[in-house]
Amino acid sequence: VQLVESGGGLVQPGGSLTLSCAISESIFSFAAVDWYRQPTGKQREWVARITSGGTTTVTDSVKGRFTISRDIAKNTVNLRINNLKPEDTAVYYCSAHLDSGYDYWGQGTQVTVSS
């Protein structure tokens, strides 16, 4: 099983980007997938979730700017971030959770918001 994040980079404040989490086909349909982020020197925080049934939730602090979605054809879960702010700077991780109790994590992708 693999989770591979991509799409991070250096972005100016106010900009947008889409992070992608490519998930092994063997678990994609069964997993709830979360995005987390961890700023340097701080704790990892949960950002958003999409369930295996497609229900989405986003943490209150980023509602209206962050959107989680999935592309079933590509086995990816995406995190669209609009109106980026310096405080969004962090390593972003995706994680897949199965009902069996197994959790899988990606390696993370760095997002840096700076002018």
Side-chain angles (χ1 to χ4, degrees), residues 99-113:
D99 289 344
S100 60
Y102 283 97
D103 291 338
Y104 301 92
W105 288 82
Q107 82 290 348
T109 186
Q110 176 71 47
V111 172
T112 302
V113 184

Side-chain angles (χ1 to χ4, degrees), residues 29-50:
S29 298
F30 311 106
V33 178
D34 292 281
W35 281 96
Y36 293 80
R37 65 183 180 183
Q38 186 167 21
T40 302
K42 296 185 179 181
Q43 288 188 330
R44 188 174 299 184
E45 66 169 337
W46 173 77
V47 174
R49 163 170 279 209
I50 186 164

